[in-house]
Amino acid sequence: MKLDLARTDKPYYDAPGEPVVRTFPVHRYVTATGSGAPLGERYSEAVAAVYRAAYGAKKIAKAAGTDFVVPKLEGLWWVESDQPPLSVPREQWHWTMMIRMPDSVSADMISGAVFEELSEGECVQVMHRGPYADEPETLARMAAFMDAEGLLMNGRHHEIYLTDPRRTQDSGMRTILRHPVRRG
């Protein structure tokens, strides 16, 4: 039987429509980091490299009897500016595209991408429904929730892409938005 992290770790891969606080332990990922506009050439190459590495690890794991479903694509996003991130041109955005790996995957099973751990700890998380262009509305709700709870950003903006934009209409898109936080 294949391990499916989306089924065995529901708090990680599911979120309500209103912001909530959740705590996440250390997880391991195959990653590729770069900068530039989403869907630009460098971004597309990074996403392809992460998928190749994840499916390569899956092939090795399957041969060893520890098969798994390749989890959803995720991204960390940031800007190196004091300006509000959404006011910075997309060509200046930085990202780490990543796919979470099960505990049975080790660094020697990864080729063509970086294998790294991420510990986000306490986070505010919400399900964004609809096109990526509408995310600022959901981000504003997250910010209001964080203000009301006395929470401050403590890491990079994290997105988990539950639907494939090539196969899903904008109205059906589902993306988990997550902000690591600390008490203010």
Side-chain angles (χ1 to χ4, degrees):
M1 180 129 172
K2 292 182 192 179
L3 172 64
D4 185 347
L5 292 173
R7 293 186 190 273
T8 61
D9 193 356
K10 292 236 183 238
Y12 188 93
Y13 290 101
D14 192 23
E18 294 302 319
V20 294
V21 176
R22 292 199 175 145
T23 302
F24 299 99
V26 174
H27 292 296
R28 296 183 297 173
Y29 303 82
V30 291
T31 69
T33 299
S35 62
L39 304 179
E41 186 176 343
R42 285 181 284 179
Y43 173 88
S44 297
E45 289 170 357
V47 169
V50 167
Y51 272 111
R52 277 192 305 275
Y55 277 97
K58 173 187 171 47
K59 182 178 179 181
I60 294 167
K62 183 176 181 179
T66 56
D67 197 9
F68 63 92
V69 174
V70 171
K72 301 296 186 182
L73 180 67
E74 305 181 37
L76 301 178
W77 297 88
W78 70 98
V79 296
E80 293 181 358
S81 166
D82 292 335
Q83 297 176 339
L86 294 176
S87 70
V88 174
R90 296 162 53 103
E91 294 75 25
Q92 296 175 22
W93 289 2
H94 296 267
W95 36 259
T96 296
M97 301 315 297
M98 57 196 202
I99 297 176
R100 185 174 158 197
M101 290 287 101
D103 292 339
S104 62
V105 173
S106 60
D108 63 334
M109 297 166 72
I110 303 301
S111 176
V114 176
F115 188 63
E116 63 183 292
E117 292 183 342
L118 176 63
S119 176
E120 291 181 298
E122 194 170 41
C123 296
V124 170
Q125 175 168 295
V126 67
M127 180 70 70
H128 171 73
R129 296 182 183 275
Y132 301 135
D134 291 348
E135 282 184 16
E137 296 166 17
T138 305
L139 293 170
R141 288 196 345 251
M142 290 177 77
F145 175 83
M146 289 167 51
D147 286 345
E149 296 293 319
L151 301 170
L152 302 171
M153 284 283 292
N154 192 36
R156 295 181 173 154
H157 172 73
H158 187 163
E159 298 185 351
I160 303 172
Y161 308 105
L162 301 178
T163 49
D164 184 339
R166 299 169 301 173
R167 298 185 178 125
T168 307
Q169 291 183 352
D170 281 352
S171 62
M173 297 290 292
R174 293 182 312 122
T175 307
I176 294 175
L177 304 181
R178 182 181 294 163
H179 289 308
V181 295
R182 64 179 171 80
R183 301 286 167 179

